[in-house]
């Protein structure tokens, strides 16, 4: 009872948080079907205040959406005797399969380096490389460049609209080549590069229908999947041959 009373007194003594995020998503689940061509997530919300709007330093909003993180092996190709072969490789301990950063201004203006290091907001900070040498940094940059070219990594300055430092909204385009899993969405309020408040939720990305059935069969029953694939290939070849004979006849 004494400990509970002390905690209650401490909570009452702490000042109320000046600004807080109240946010929502247009959808919390994305279904991957056989004809899935991508999706778009609308992220919106408001800033709840217990005090008048602070003056001077403007408010910024930063939104991140991160897919499941997995180890990645990055390889360098070189031409040897007229053939392109893998020469060097670096193992990245953990990298998000998808990562998008949207902000009201360029990220370096909205977030200080110290806060970026603390919250792992920028794309390089979201990747956990196994080493810190020059080679690892070079391969990490190559991974970021490759995934940015395929829209798996996105930097979106000025993509968050903020009205009267109270209402905000943005949209994140999810490409067709998504990995299945939980996508973590984070929203940060910042002033002067410092994080004032943050909010986190998840978006479930799941395969459904025929796509789900094929994925489950391939991973849980590989032998049946292989035999079925072989049977389909034989049937398709026989059917094409029969049609060709009918056309010639």
């Amino acid at each position: 009872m004494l400990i509970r009373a002390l905690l209650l007194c401490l909570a009452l003594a702490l000042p109320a948080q000046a600004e807080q995020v109240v946010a929502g998503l247009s959808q919390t689940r994305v279904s991957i079907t056989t004809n899935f061509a991508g999706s778009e997530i609308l992220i919106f919300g408001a800033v709840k205040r217990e005090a008048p709007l602070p003056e001077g330093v403007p408010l910024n909003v930063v939104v991140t959406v991160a897919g499941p993180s997995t180890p990645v092996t990055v390889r360098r190709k070189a031409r040897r005797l007229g053939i392109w072969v893998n020469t060097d490789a670096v193992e990245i301990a953990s990298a998000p399969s998808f990562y998008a950063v949207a902000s009201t201004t360029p990220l370096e203006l909205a977030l200080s380096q110290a806060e970026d290091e603390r919250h792992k907001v920028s794309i390089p900070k979201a990747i956990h490389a196994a080493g810190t040498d020059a080679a690892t940094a070079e391969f990490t940059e190559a991974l970021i460049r490759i995934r940015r070219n395929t829209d798996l990594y996105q930097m979106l300055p000025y993509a968050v609209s903020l009205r009267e430092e109270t209402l905000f909204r943005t949209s994140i385009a999810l490409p067709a080549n998504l990995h299945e899993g939980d996508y973590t969405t984070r929203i940060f309020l910042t002033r002067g590069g410092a994080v004032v408040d943050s909010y986190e939720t998840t978006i479930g990305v799941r395969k459904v229908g025929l796509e789900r059935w094929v994925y489950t069969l391939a991973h849980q029953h590989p032998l049946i999947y292989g035999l079925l694939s072989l049977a389909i290939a034989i049937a398709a070849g026989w059917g094409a041959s029969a049609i060709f004979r009918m056309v010639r006849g």
Side-chain angles (χ1 to χ4, degrees):
M1 292 296 295
L2 179 59
I3 296 177
R4 181 178 299 179
L6 289 174
L7 291 175
L8 180 60
C9 291
L10 180 61
L12 293 174
L14 291 174
Q17 194 164 352
E19 296 176 297
Q20 292 180 312
V21 182
V22 180
L25 306 176
S26 60
Q27 57 189 51
T28 58
R29 184 178 179 86
V30 175
S31 299
I32 301 178
T33 60
T34 53
N35 59 348
F36 180 74
S39 183
E40 188 174 69
I41 302 296
L42 175 64
I43 302 169
F44 55 91
V47 180
K48 178 182 177 182
R49 294 187 174 89
E50 300 293 341
L53 181 67
E55 297 181 358
V57 182
L59 179 72
N60 283 298
V61 180
V62 180
V63 178
T64 69
V65 178
S69 293
T70 58
V72 180
T73 301
V74 183
R75 294 182 173 86
R76 174 189 285 132
K77 290 184 179 292
R79 197 176 182 86
R80 297 288 187 269
L81 301 176
I83 302 175
W84 288 98
V85 296
N86 294 325
T87 55
D88 303 320
V90 167
E91 181 75 20
I92 305 297
S94 178
S97 57
F98 172 85
Y99 198 77
V101 183
S103 53
T104 49
T105 64
L107 185 61
E108 59 272 16
L109 300 180
L111 195 70
S112 67
Q113 292 185 358
E115 291 285 53
D116 187 17
E117 186 70 37
R118 176 187 174 192
H119 295 280
K120 312 298 182 187
V121 175
S122 64
I123 294 176
K125 298 300 182 183
I127 297 175
H128 304 286
T132 58
D133 56 358
T136 301
E138 180 184 359
F139 278 79
T140 302
E141 291 174 1
L143 174 65
I144 295 174
R145 183 174 63 254
I146 292 170
R147 292 193 169 179
R148 289 191 70 170
N149 291 338
T150 56
D151 290 332
L152 288 175
Y153 286 174
Q154 304 174 16
M155 287 295 296
L156 306 169
Y158 304 109
V160 180
S161 63
L162 178 63
R163 296 182 57 186
E164 299 179 356
E165 296 198 1
T166 301
L167 302 176
F168 65 86
R169 60 171 289 167
T170 187
S171 60
I172 303 294
L174 303 178
N177 51 339
L178 286 180
H179 285 217
E180 188 178 33
D182 291 331
Y183 283 58
T184 303
T185 300
R186 297 184 297 167
I187 302 172
F188 299 94
L189 300 181
T190 69
R191 284 190 183 274
V195 174
V196 176
D197 189 36
S198 63
Y199 172 86
E200 181 174 317
T201 186
T202 58
I203 302 169
V205 176
R206 300 289 184 270
K207 293 181 174 67
V208 297
L210 180 61
E211 186 79 10
R212 174 81 262 175
W213 181 79
V214 172
Y215 179 86
T216 302
L217 184 66
H219 286 79
Q220 297 184 5
H221 307 284
L223 178 59
I224 298 176
Y225 175 79
L227 293 175
L228 183 60
S229 301
L230 180 61
I232 292 175
I234 293 174
W238 179 85
S241 177
I243 294 173
F244 183 72
R245 287 197 303 270
M246 290 176 60
V247 172
R248 292 189 60 182

